[in-house]
């Protein structure tokens, strides 16, 4: 979803086998081919190194894990070149980092220890304990937890200090620790002499899901679906349930699944030029070819001619008949031809002094591999509106997914929820109550262009397909780095406003775009909030990592100044609602969203400048939540929690869709009980 904790950080690589192969990327990249990517783990020791990593353009995921040495782990999608050029202080993690020695407090009195939260949960894999505490000695203290549980069970585990952007936020476990049985009491002791005891409560301990009647239908998704299938699915639901639905065409069409056709002529770093079609590849650019020839006679000038679809560059020659045209001269000559259907540019930062060699005709290519029946035109983003009274008189709930293209599970969550709501309306009293009392807006894919690119070309694509890069960053080998991070393109707490967690680098995974709301994808989401002011709740569905979050989602790095925090009453409402929603998620297959991953974005994840939930909350008063579906799975053989990735095998993706669809329906239930304060 967002960017990354600016804390003492270590990045952990997840299992790359979960990612389907990207068909257009060779194992060894040539001059015109993108580099392959891997999901990797890096070590970021402090806030300054984190800032350097974000500025470098690293594509950081949402799976963040604090470590015992005071660092944090997070998964990142990186190329070999990025790995080789990691910013100062950032290294690739190699297994569990050892515990660093901590200085004991020098205070003459013992430190004060406070237990902030001590909870247990039972998942399908057994009992686990999560503890959060703080010391008056801050990160200088080392805290240890011992516990007693049912049937005489006991345990012991050390806590780690969580320091974010220089601010001490308390101590916690890196991940929940296994317990032989239900923990009942804990004692936290400090190297500074402090001590605190507490009873252990159950988590999430929210309201139980509404009982569904006999014959309740569920399990409607059977595969990962590209955008065209998602749109057909909601169109079909609208046709089948016309009295309960409206189909809304959002006003801002996307760029489209299309690119300008290109060719790299020559061999960098010697002498090379990039030829780019004026038209998109699907609109004629792919039909063009370019050749470089020598006239075979001495003392000839540089000429460029166009013959139908063929552009011929006849290189200048010297007195011996040898070609003498430089790359810069070829670029200037091509661009000087009136009405020519291409433009030329130098290769990256090459000054163009190298002499071009003859080259046979090369056909331009947009490098898009989707079948011909996948539309290249600007996409119409659709929303399915569900409810018995869709007139603005009922509390509105917005559910939107796939702001990030590679998150294939997230649209399944919204589609599954829509199917359940409509197909159970006639037979299930609890479902009927939801549709009587709420007005639901479902957008399965906010970013259809990027999603198509992820399905058919580059499965790690995070951003949309609009290329704002200048020519020196727009040769074909860089095509997988283009686009805008839709969830950094909003107008509250943005990069423009000085907030951390987005980038001005057009190749960065968190590129915020040339300006707030520069992209149609973000404008469509905000249009819904403006057009339908009855929307009071929103769920932005992302993956992966197993988080449940709400505003504030961004801070300014200097002083860690966050966006204004909600009032205590509002925070209590966010948390109470979250525990109920998480109860519904856990009811599906025992997946529990960890307590330390439930809360405001800036407290449990990292700063994400310009994200959508912040704008919905601060500008429109919408309770804006974020799911990060795909919680870690416990491996009893290794005794570790393991990440699932963006595109797990469908069996796992299906299970995630089932449980988070239940969570989304639970949110709609909360909205059904909502009364304006």
């Amino acid at each position: 979803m967002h960017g990354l904790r600016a804390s003492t950080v270590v990045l952990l690589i997840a299992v790359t086998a979960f990612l389907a192969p990207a068909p257009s990327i060779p194992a060894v990249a040539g001059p015109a081919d993108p580099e392959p990517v891997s999901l990797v783990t890096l070590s970021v020791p402090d806030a300054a190194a984190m800032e350097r990593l974000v500025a470098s353009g690293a594509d950081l995921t949402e799976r963040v894990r604090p470590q015992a040495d005071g660092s944090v782990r997070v998964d990142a999608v990186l190329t070999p070149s990025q790995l080789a050029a990691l910013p100062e202080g950032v290294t690739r993690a190699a297994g569990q980092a050892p515990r660093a020695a901590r200085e004991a407090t020098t205070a003459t009195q013992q430190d004060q220890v406070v237990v902030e939260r001590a909870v247990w949960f039972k998942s399908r894999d057994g009992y686990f304990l999560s503890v959060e505490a703080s010391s008056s000695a801050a990160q200088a203290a080392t805290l240890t937890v011992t516990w007693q549980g049912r049937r005489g069970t006991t345990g012991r585990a050390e806590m780690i200090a969580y320091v974010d952007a220089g601010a001490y936020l308390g101590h916690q476990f890196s991940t929940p620790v296994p317990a032989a049985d239900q923990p009942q009491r804990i004692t936290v002791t400090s190297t500074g002499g402090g001590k605190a005891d507490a009873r252990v409560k159950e988590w999430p301990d929210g309201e139980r899901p509404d009982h569904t009647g006999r014959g309740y239908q569920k399990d409607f998704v059977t595969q990962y679906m590209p955008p065209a299938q998602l749109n057909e699915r909601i169109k079909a639901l609208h046709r089948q349930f016309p009295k309960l639905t409206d189909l809304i065409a959002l006003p801002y069409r996307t760029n489209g699944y299309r690119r300008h056709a290109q060719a790299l002529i020559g061999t960098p770093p010697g002498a090379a030029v990039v030829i780019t079609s004026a038209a998109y590849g699907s609109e004629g650019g792919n039909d063009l070819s370019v050749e470089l020839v020598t006239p075979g006679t001495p003392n000839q000038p540089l000429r460029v001619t166009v013959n139908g679809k063929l552009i011929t560059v006849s290189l200048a020659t010297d007195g011996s008949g040898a070609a003498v045209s430089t790359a810069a001269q070829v670029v200037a000559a091509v661009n000087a031809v009136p009405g020519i259907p291409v433009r030329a540019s130098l290769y990256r930062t090459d000054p163009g002094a190298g002499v071009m060699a003859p080259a046979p005709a090369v056909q331009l290519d947009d490098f898009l591999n989707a079948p011909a029946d996948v539309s290249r035109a600007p996409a119409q983003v659709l929303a399915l509106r569900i409810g018995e009274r869709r007139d603005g008189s009922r509390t509105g709930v917005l559910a939107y997914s796939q702001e990030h293209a590679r998150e294939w599970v997230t649209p399944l969550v919204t589609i599954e929820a829509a199917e359940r709501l409509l197909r159970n309306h006639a037979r299930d009293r609890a479902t009927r109550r939801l549709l009587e009392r709420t007005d639901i807006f479902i957008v399965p894919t906010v970013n259809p262009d990027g999603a198509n690119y992820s399905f058919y070309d580059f499965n790690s694509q995070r951003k949309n397909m609009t290329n704002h890069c200048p020519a020196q960053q727009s040769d074909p080998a860089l095509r997988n780095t283009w686009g805008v991070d839709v969830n950094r393109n909003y107008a509250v707490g943005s990069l423009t406003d000085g907030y951390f967690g987005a980038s001005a680098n057009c190749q960065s995974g968190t590129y915020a775009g040339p300006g707030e709301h520069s992209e149609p994808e973000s404008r469509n989401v905000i249009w819904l909030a403006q057009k339908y002011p009855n929307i009071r709740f929103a769920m932005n569905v992302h993956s992966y990592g197993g988080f449940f979050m709400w505003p504030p989602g961004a801070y300014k790095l200097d002083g860690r100044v966050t966006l204004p925090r909600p009032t205590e009453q509002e925070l209590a409402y966010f948390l109470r609602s979250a525990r109920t929603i998480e109860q519904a998620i856990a009811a599906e297959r025992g997946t529990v969203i960890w307590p330390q991953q439930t809360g405001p974005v800036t407290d449990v994840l990292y700063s994400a400048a310009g994200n959508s939930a912040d704008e919905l909350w601060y500008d429109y008063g919408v309770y804006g939540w974020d799911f990060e579906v795909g919680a870690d799975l416990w491996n009893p053989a290794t005794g570790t929690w393991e990440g699932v990735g963006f595109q797990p095998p469908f069996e796992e993706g299906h299970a995630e869709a089932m449980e988070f669809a239940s969570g989304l329906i639970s949110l709609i239930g909360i909205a059904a009980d909502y009364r304006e304060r």
Side-chain angles (χ1 to χ4, degrees):
M1 178 200 104
H2 302 289
L4 177 64
R5 256 176 182 153
S7 53
T8 48
V9 182
V10 177
L11 299 170
L12 170 69
I13 183 155
V15 182
T16 56
F18 285 142
L19 290 176
S24 65
I25 303 175
V28 179
D33 297 314
E35 288 189 273
V37 297
S38 300
L39 200 54
V40 298
T41 305
L42 306 174
S43 173
V44 185
D46 52 34
M50 188 64 244
E51 188 174 6
R52 290 193 293 271
L53 184 62
V54 172
S56 75
D59 185 354
L60 306 175
T61 78
E62 291 71 49
R63 186 173 181 264
V64 180
R65 302 291 180 262
Q67 298 299 297
D69 64 351
S71 64
V72 178
R73 290 189 171 197
V74 66
D75 298 353
V77 179
L78 300 174
T79 66
S81 294
Q82 289 173 316
L83 279 171
L86 290 172
E88 180 184 356
V90 180
T91 60
R92 187 167 182 173
Q96 181 75 25
R99 179 175 178 79
R102 294 189 185 276
E103 297 180 3
T105 176
T106 57
T108 57
Q109 297 180 341
Q110 71 179 26
D111 62 332
Q112 302 297 310
V113 175
V114 176
V115 177
E116 310 289 351
R117 180 162 57 187
V119 296
W120 64 269
F121 63 83
K122 187 176 188 301
S123 77
R124 57 189 176 278
D125 302 304
Y127 289 97
F128 294 88
L129 174 68
S130 175
V131 179
E132 296 160 69
S134 61
S135 164
S136 59
Q139 62 263 42
T142 297
L143 303 186
T144 301
V145 179
T146 57
W147 68 87
Q148 302 81 43
R150 292 190 311 186
R151 301 183 178 90
T153 55
T154 61
R156 180 181 184 276
E158 290 193 4
M159 305 183 77
I160 63 173
Y162 175 28
V163 180
D164 186 46
Y168 169 68
L169 300 182
H171 280 67
Q172 62 185 31
F173 294 142
S174 174
T175 58
V177 297
D181 207 317
Q182 177 187 322
Q184 295 177 322
R185 295 199 64 85
I186 65 162
T187 299
V188 181
T189 57
S190 168
T191 52
K195 181 179 178 180
D197 299 297
R199 293 185 59 186
V200 185
K201 299 180 180 180
E202 184 180 2
W203 177 269
D205 196 28
E207 295 181 19
R208 302 291 171 177
D210 286 338
H211 176 72
T212 53
R214 293 181 59 185
Y216 183 86
Q217 295 184 357
K218 59 193 294 186
D219 196 356
F220 295 99
V221 294
T222 59
Q223 64 184 42
Y224 290 125
M225 290 182 281
Q229 291 184 23
L230 295 169
N231 285 337
E232 285 305 314
R233 195 68 171 262
I234 62 173
K235 288 177 183 177
L237 287 172
H238 174 53
R239 289 193 297 269
Q240 188 168 357
F241 299 96
K243 295 183 178 180
L244 293 174
T245 64
D246 295 319
L247 199 62
I248 303 171
L250 304 188
Y252 301 105
R253 290 184 178 268
T254 68
N255 176 79
Y257 172 70
R258 55 185 183 172
R259 290 259 169 89
H260 296 279
Q262 293 186 300
L264 178 65
I265 310 297
T267 305
V273 298
V274 177
I275 305 296
T276 303
S277 64
Y280 288 103
S282 55
E283 298 170 6
N286 288 338
D287 300 329
L288 302 174
S289 297
V290 177
E291 63 179 356
L292 272 61
V293 301
T294 55
T297 55
N299 300 317
Q300 295 299 308
L302 175 60
R303 293 191 181 93
V304 178
T305 58
V306 180
N307 183 10
K309 304 295 184 181
L310 177 64
I311 294 96
T312 299
V313 179
S314 180
L315 300 170
T317 57
D318 61 14
S320 68
V324 294
S325 298
T326 66
Q329 290 169 339
V330 169
V331 167
V334 170
N335 292 340
V337 177
I340 195 167
V342 299
R343 63 183 183 274
S345 59
L346 294 173
Y347 180 80
R348 302 192 187 179
T349 58
D350 191 319
V355 174
M356 297 295 296
V362 176
Q363 188 166 356
L364 276 61
D365 193 347
D366 63 8
F367 300 100
L368 298 178
N369 298 310
D373 61 355
V374 174
S375 173
R376 269 66 173 168
Q380 181 88 70
V381 178
L382 299 178
L384 183 67
R385 188 178 188 182
I386 302 172
E388 289 189 1
R389 294 188 63 178
R390 303 177 304 282
D391 56 6
S393 63
R394 298 294 186 262
T395 301
V397 181
L398 169 61
Y400 57 111
S401 51
Q402 209 168 42
E403 281 187 323
H404 292 154
R406 63 193 175 199
E407 298 171 5
W408 292 4
V409 177
T410 63
L412 305 186
V413 174
T414 52
I415 290 292
E416 172 70 20
E419 292 271 5
R420 291 187 195 179
L421 291 168
L422 291 168
R423 298 193 185 280
N424 289 296
H425 174 262
R427 68 183 69 209
D428 179 66
R429 180 180 299 175
T431 301
R432 192 158 50 250
R433 176 178 177 273
L434 298 182
L435 269 63
E436 289 170 351
R437 303 189 66 170
T438 63
D439 189 0
I440 304 155
F441 301 81
I442 289 180
V443 184
T445 178
V446 171
N447 178 13
D449 302 342
N452 276 325
Y453 196 66
S454 177
F455 265 88
Y456 300 113
D457 303 284
F458 175 58
N459 62 355
S460 293
Q461 177 76 6
R462 171 186 175 98
K463 303 184 287 183
N464 69 8
M465 283 187 66
T466 305
N467 179 19
H468 293 289
C469 286
Q472 62 266 31
Q473 293 173 280
S474 291
D475 62 79
L478 298 178
R479 62 185 180 270
N480 289 343
T481 70
W482 302 334
V484 174
D485 182 345
V486 175
N487 205 32
R488 297 297 183 278
N489 191 235
Y490 293 87
V492 170
S494 68
L495 179 69
T496 303
D497 294 334
Y499 286 81
F500 181 72
S503 175
N505 176 359
C506 67
Q507 293 180 253
S508 169
T510 56
Y511 176 49
E516 297 171 347
H517 291 309
S518 63
E519 307 308 297
E521 292 88 352
S522 65
R523 295 199 299 272
N524 277 329
V525 172
I526 297 305
W527 178 86
L528 283 166
Q530 295 170 337
K531 177 73 173 179
Y532 303 101
N534 63 314
I535 293 176
R536 310 310 302 151
F537 296 85
M539 181 62 74
N540 188 5
V541 188
H542 283 269
S543 73
Y544 63 100
F547 287 78
F548 195 164
M549 303 174 291
W550 53 86
Y555 55 67
K556 294 182 177 181
L557 198 58
D558 186 12
R560 200 179 184 278
V561 179
T562 71
L563 287 163
R565 295 182 71 85
T567 66
E568 290 302 316
Q569 181 182 11
E570 291 164 342
L571 285 172
Y573 185 73
F574 271 119
L575 181 59
R576 184 169 66 252
S577 301
R579 294 173 71 161
T580 294
I581 294 166
E582 290 181 3
Q583 193 78 46
I585 294 170
E588 280 291 319
R589 60 164 181 165
T591 295
V592 176
I593 304 304
W594 303 345
Q596 67 260 42
Q597 295 187 174
T598 301
V601 174
T602 54
D603 292 356
V604 304
L605 189 61
Y606 44 61
S607 180
N611 72 82
S612 55
D614 277 347
E615 183 164 353
L616 289 172
W617 170 247
Y618 292 103
D619 278 4
Y620 299 96
V622 175
Y623 283 92
W625 278 280
D626 297 300
F627 275 156
E628 291 287 346
V629 313
D632 283 13
L633 302 178
W634 176 255
N635 185 332
T638 61
T640 58
W641 294 96
E642 297 177 350
V644 297
F646 294 111
Q647 299 140 19
F650 183 72
E651 179 182 5
E652 169 61 24
H654 171 268
E656 294 170 16
M658 293 301 103
E659 60 196 5
F660 280 87
S662 295
L664 178 53
I665 289 173
S666 179
L667 169 62
I668 296 168
I670 290 169
D673 294 331
Y674 178 74
R675 294 291 180 271
E676 291 283 357
R677 287 165 173 77

